[in-house]
């Protein structure tokens, strides 16, 4: 390119070396100024030193704002020499400081090893040299090292320890046996060695002298009062102890064939598939002196009906034959709140306001076991699975659902999420889950055995639901809401409220009236606060019939499991009525 440029310039100049276009009188062109570089000035001292294989030992001044060469790591972190650093009292740059006293390096030595060498040096005058590569180098008094054979304060041989103990004992004996005259003032003055030698015995050695063995009258009175209060508290925590009694009212406990009085009749079976609404009163059982709080038919057959009374008694009545009371179970000191049969009906549970849950033998009337947490049980249920009939669930007044293993009598689980007393327990989804309702106006769904809520249903418009029943097809739950309606919830995954089905017309506000289904699922029924029993059609949700059953509250109603047109009701008037 330079050659081409020169050739072009020669053509323009002409023969005499002058530009043909320029006149001889025209002024010469201006000279160009020398070019300046915008790059910063570079100190090439370091380059020269590097070439000469010299090392720069001078540290970098922390005051300077720029470094014109690439410093090494050692130069950057070298301690400041010379006068004190302007921003640090001890002359150490801020970047170097990792401790309030300056720069501390991490040492590859364990704290125990350091303490050992430190104490050994102060005791014997020698210690291991940490800077030496070999482990046998020592610093300090090497003569003492040879004498003691290089022991440290932490690894004194046993024979040496024994020697020292013997020497110490000798010293003590010599001091005690010495006839030195000691000044009394020195002995009494704790600051002197004489006082220390005299009082070397530990104050905790031996028994304390003058220990008080007998209590004064005031102390004894306080101890008795404390023991009495403690006993009262312990008694209040558990249920009241009552002697269990039972009375059989039938003719004989076994018939001529040796069958028990609770054995179901062999010919008992469902007469037809359709259920019909009862119209008339067939029978009345009267025997409770106070209101009846719950009734339960014998499972599958319904030839007996169990009733829980507020007169502390539980009675079982004959349904098919005589219609009389067969046995009375007395084991509670207060009203009985809830009852529940096991799957085969040979045993049943009772929950009383005396804080006791009792497991009875239906035939003999004996109490098999008693359970209590010190709180009132509001509902008791056995796990419906045949292989889990020994597992008891109870909803308590202290917001918990307690699970017992009745074989061992131990509490195996506590479901503690509710914010109010637990009112109902209903098993769903092939008994893998259960739904509980509470005074906190919510429904909670639990996996059996896992105390974590898997579904929580609580809406601002919801009321407390003190009674819940499962539809015969197990797909729906009927919940008695205290705003005078029965709500239907799905038992599928989402447990949604069925807004199309709502049963109303009855007055139940303030009462835990039981809600129930006919065995074929076509009818819903419920008692109410005015003594009526209401029947609704499941499909249309319309009121089918009402029966005036009791004076006062009709608290419970049960549909007979086999005779499809018969219903039993109970009320606070102390009567149990049978309708057909």
């Amino acid at each position: 390119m330079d050659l081409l440029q020169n050739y072009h310039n020669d053509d323009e100049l002409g023969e005499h070396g002058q530009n043909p276009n320029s006149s001889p009188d025209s002024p010469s062109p201006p000279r160009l100024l020398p070019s300046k570089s915008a790059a910063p000035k570079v100190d090439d001292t370091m380059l020269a030193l590097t070439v000469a294989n010299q090392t720069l030992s001078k540290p970098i001044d922390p005051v300077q704002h720029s470094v014109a060469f690439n410093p090494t790591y050692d130069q950057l972190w070298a301690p400041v020499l010379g006068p004190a650093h302007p921003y640090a009292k001890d002359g150490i740059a801020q970047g170097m400081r990792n401790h309030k006293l300056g720069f501390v390096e991490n040492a590859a030595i364990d704290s125990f090893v350091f303490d050992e060498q430190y104490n050994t040096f102060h005791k014997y005058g020698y210690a291991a040299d940490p800077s030496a590569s070999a482990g046998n180098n020592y610093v300090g008094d090497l003569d003492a090292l040879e004498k003691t054979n290089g022991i440290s304060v932490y690894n004194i041989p046993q024979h040496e320890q024994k020697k020292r103990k013997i020497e110490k004992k000798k010293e003590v004996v010599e001091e005690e046996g010495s006839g030195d005259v000691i000044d009394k003032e020195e002995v009494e003055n704790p600051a002197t060695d004489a006082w220390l030698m005299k009082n070397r015995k530990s104050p905790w050695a031996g028994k304390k002298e003058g220990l008080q063995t007998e209590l004064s009258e005031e102390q004894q009175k306080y101890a008795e009062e404390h023991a009495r209060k403690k006993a009262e508290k312990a008694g209040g925590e558990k249920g009241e102890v009552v002697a269990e009694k039972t009375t059989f009212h039938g003719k004989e406990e076994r018939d001529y064939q040796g069958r028990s009085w609770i054995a179901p009749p062999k010919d008992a079976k469902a007469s037809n598939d359709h259920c019909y609404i009862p119209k008339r009163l067939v029978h009345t059982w009267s025997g409770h002196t106070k209101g009846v709080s719950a009734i339960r038919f014998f499972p599958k057959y319904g030839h007996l009906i169990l009733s829980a009374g507020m007169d502390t008694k539980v009675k079982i009545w004959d349904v098919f034959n005589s219609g009389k009371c067969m046995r009375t179970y007395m084991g509670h000191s207060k009203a009985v709140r809830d009852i529940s049969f096991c799957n085969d009906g040979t045993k049943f549970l009772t929950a009383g306001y005396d804080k006791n849950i009792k497991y009875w033998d239906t035939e003999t009337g004996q109490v098999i076991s008693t359970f209590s947490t010190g709180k009132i049980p509001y509902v008791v249920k056995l796990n419906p699975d045949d292989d889990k009939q020994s597992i008891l669930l109870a909803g308590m007044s202290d917001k918990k659902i307690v699970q017992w293993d009745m074989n061992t009598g131990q509490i195996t689980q506590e479901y503690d999420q509710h914010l109010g007393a637990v009112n109902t327990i209903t098993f769903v989804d092939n008994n893998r889950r259960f739904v509980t309702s509470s005074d906190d106006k919510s429904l909670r769904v639990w996996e059996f055995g896992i105390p974590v809520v898997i579904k929580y249903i609580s809406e601002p418009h919801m009321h407390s639901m003190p009674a819940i029943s499962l539809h015969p097809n197990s797909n729906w739950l009927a919940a008695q809401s205290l705003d005078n309606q029965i709500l239907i919830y799905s038992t599928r995954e989402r447990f949604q409220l069925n807004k199309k089905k709502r049963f109303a017309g009855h007055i139940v506000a303030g009462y835990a009236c039981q809600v129930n289904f006919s065995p074929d699922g076509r009818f819903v029924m419920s008692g109410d606060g005015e003594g009526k029993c209401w029947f609704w059609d499941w499909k249309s949700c319309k009121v089918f019939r009402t029966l005036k059953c009791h004076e006062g509250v009709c608290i419970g109603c049960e549909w007979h499991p086999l005779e499809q047109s018969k219903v039993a009701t109970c009320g606070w008037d102390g009567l149990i009525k049978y309708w057909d």
Side-chain angles (χ1 to χ4, degrees):
M1 287 297 293
D2 294 339
L3 289 170
L4 288 170
Q5 187 69 30
N6 292 336
Y7 179 73
H8 176 68
N9 292 340
D10 290 345
D11 286 348
E12 285 182 351
L13 289 174
E15 295 177 1
H16 303 286
Q18 290 183 353
N19 192 343
N21 297 329
S22 63
S23 62
D25 299 329
S26 60
S28 60
R31 286 188 181 181
L32 294 173
L33 294 172
S35 60
K36 284 191 177 181
S37 173
K41 199 170 184 179
V42 178
D43 184 8
D44 56 356
T45 311
M46 189 63 198
L47 181 63
L49 291 171
T50 308
V51 172
N53 291 327
Q54 295 179 359
T55 55
L56 194 65
S57 59
K58 183 182 176 183
I60 294 167
D61 185 5
V63 179
Q64 70 185 77
H65 296 286
S66 61
V67 181
F69 59 93
N70 290 336
T72 62
Y73 179 83
D74 294 333
Q75 286 173 272
L76 281 172
W77 292 99
V80 177
L81 304 175
H85 189 271
Y87 305 120
K89 292 179 181 178
D90 50 6
I92 298 175
Q94 192 65 29
M96 295 276 297
R97 301 172 70 84
N98 61 2
H99 188 267
K100 61 183 179 180
L101 298 177
F103 178 72
V104 180
E105 288 186 4
N106 289 328
I109 183 168
D110 191 42
S111 59
F112 173 80
V113 177
F114 177 83
D115 291 342
E116 181 185 24
Q117 297 302 326
Y118 178 83
N119 293 324
T120 304
F121 186 81
H122 281 278
K123 187 167 183 69
Y124 298 116
Y126 59 86
D129 185 1
S131 62
S133 57
N136 297 327
N137 291 346
Y138 286 85
V139 292
D141 190 354
L142 299 178
D143 296 333
L145 176 69
E146 288 179 6
K147 283 182 184 177
T148 57
N149 201 18
I151 61 169
S152 72
V153 289
Y154 293 157
N155 61 1
I156 301 171
Q158 284 190 354
H159 64 272
E160 286 286 333
Q161 291 177 14
K162 286 179 183 177
K163 276 184 186 178
R164 291 186 182 188
K165 283 181 183 177
I166 293 164
E167 286 173 4
K168 278 187 179 179
K169 280 183 182 179
K170 283 181 182 178
E171 286 175 8
V172 171
V173 170
E174 285 174 4
E175 285 171 3
E176 287 176 356
S178 62
D180 295 342
V181 178
I182 302 170
D183 191 3
K184 280 188 179 181
E185 288 182 3
E186 283 190 10
V187 173
E188 290 172 2
N189 185 6
T192 60
D193 293 335
W195 185 89
L196 286 171
M197 291 305 296
K198 188 184 177 186
N199 296 281
R200 279 182 80 169
K201 190 178 180 183
S202 168
W204 295 279
K207 290 184 180 179
K208 252 187 174 178
E209 293 178 5
L211 184 68
Q212 186 180 357
T213 52
E214 291 185 4
L215 298 173
S216 65
E217 285 183 16
E218 191 177 346
Q219 288 172 329
Q220 197 153 356
K221 190 178 178 183
Y222 176 79
E224 286 171 5
E225 184 74 16
H226 179 70
R228 186 177 61 79
K229 282 183 181 176
K230 196 173 180 183
E232 279 178 11
K233 193 177 178 184
E237 281 178 3
K238 296 294 177 185
E240 297 174 27
V241 179
V242 180
E244 294 100 0
K245 291 189 294 181
T246 181
T247 308
F248 183 69
H249 304 289
K251 287 183 180 178
E252 50 193 3
E253 293 194 21
R254 295 190 176 273
D255 64 1
Y256 69 97
Q257 286 185 326
R259 290 179 301 187
S260 169
W261 63 273
I262 67 163
K266 290 184 178 178
D267 58 344
K269 59 181 179 179
S271 54
N272 53 37
D273 296 334
H274 275 279
C275 292
Y276 300 96
I277 303 292
K279 297 179 182 177
R280 61 192 176 89
L281 180 65
V282 177
H283 188 74
T284 303
W285 291 287
S286 59
H288 287 287
T289 55
K290 291 185 181 177
V292 180
S293 55
I295 51 172
R296 300 284 183 271
F297 273 113
F298 196 92
K300 297 176 186 174
Y301 299 101
H303 64 291
L304 300 169
I305 187 168
L306 189 70
S307 64
M310 296 181 187
D311 56 357
T312 74
K313 294 175 185 174
V314 177
K315 291 177 179 282
I316 193 163
W317 314 78
D318 181 63
V319 176
F320 281 177
N321 301 318
S322 65
K324 293 180 180 177
C325 178
M326 298 300 290
R327 190 180 277 281
T328 303
Y329 308 88
M330 294 165 282
H332 290 280
S333 62
K334 292 183 181 175
V336 183
R337 163 80 187 202
D338 192 32
I339 47 177
S340 178
F341 270 113
C342 69
N343 283 0
D344 58 4
T346 56
K347 301 175 185 68
F348 66 90
L349 287 163
T350 61
Y353 283 99
D354 59 355
K355 304 175 184 176
N356 283 325
I357 299 166
K358 300 208 172 189
Y359 193 43
W360 302 79
D361 187 294
T362 311
E363 183 182 355
T364 63
Q366 298 299 313
V367 174
I368 300 166
S369 49
T370 304
F371 309 94
S372 179
T373 63
K375 303 295 177 185
I376 299 169
Y378 283 165
V379 57
V380 283
K381 273 276 168 71
L382 289 172
N383 189 309
D385 284 339
D386 289 328
D387 59 340
K388 293 176 183 166
Q389 284 282 285
S390 63
I391 296 173
L392 157 67
L393 285 175
M396 313 301 289
S397 60
D398 65 344
K399 315 168 192 176
K400 293 179 183 176
I401 300 113
V402 183
Q403 179 178 314
W404 274 277
D405 183 350
M406 292 197 292
N407 293 333
T408 61
Q410 299 294 317
I411 294 173
T412 56
Q413 193 61 270
E414 281 189 354
Y415 306 85
D416 186 10
Q417 293 276 322
H418 275 294
L419 306 175
V422 181
N423 293 322
T424 65
I425 298 171
T426 312
F427 280 88
V428 296
D429 194 16
N430 295 324
N431 308 323
R432 287 179 297 185
R433 297 172 179 170
F434 62 93
V435 181
T436 59
S437 68
S438 164
D439 287 346
D440 62 6
K441 305 179 184 179
S442 72
L443 292 177
R444 292 172 202 250
V445 186
W446 315 75
E447 289 276 357
F448 179 73
I450 302 169
V452 179
V453 172
I454 60 170
K455 181 73 176 178
Y456 170 57
I457 305 165
S458 181
E459 300 291 340
H461 58 77
M462 282 173 64
H463 286 68
S464 182
M465 298 176 186
I468 291 179
S469 185
L470 185 66
H471 192 277
N473 67 11
S474 302
N475 291 336
W476 306 99
L477 286 173
Q480 183 82 268
S481 180
L482 286 188
D483 57 347
N484 300 327
Q485 60 180 345
I486 296 169
L487 302 176
I488 306 298
Y489 287 89
S490 166
T491 60
R492 300 293 178 193
E493 288 299 318
R494 297 181 67 186
F495 289 89
Q496 277 186 316
L497 173 67
N498 188 337
K499 294 180 181 176
K500 292 180 181 179
K501 289 196 182 295
R502 177 179 161 275
F503 304 92
H506 58 320
I507 307 296
V508 290
Y511 302 105
C513 296
Q514 185 183 355
V515 59
N516 225 316
F517 287 96
S518 61
D520 63 355
R522 288 174 58 227
F523 299 106
V524 180
M525 70 169 173
S526 167
D528 81 345
E530 297 174 345
K532 294 178 185 175
C533 187
W534 292 68
F535 297 87
W536 293 268
D537 183 66
W538 170 252
K539 283 189 177 178
S540 66
C541 299
K542 291 180 181 177
V543 177
F544 207 93
R545 184 171 294 156
T546 59
L547 295 173
K548 176 64 176 172
C549 299
H550 297 274
E551 295 297 325
V553 183
C554 177
I555 198 73
C557 53
E558 282 262 327
W559 211 295
H560 196 283
L562 293 181
E563 296 186 338
Q564 278 86 352
S565 65
K566 293 187 178 177
V567 169
T569 62
C570 67
W572 285 2
D573 55 0
L575 300 176
I576 302 156
K577 295 187 178 182
Y578 196 40
W579 304 82
D580 186 7

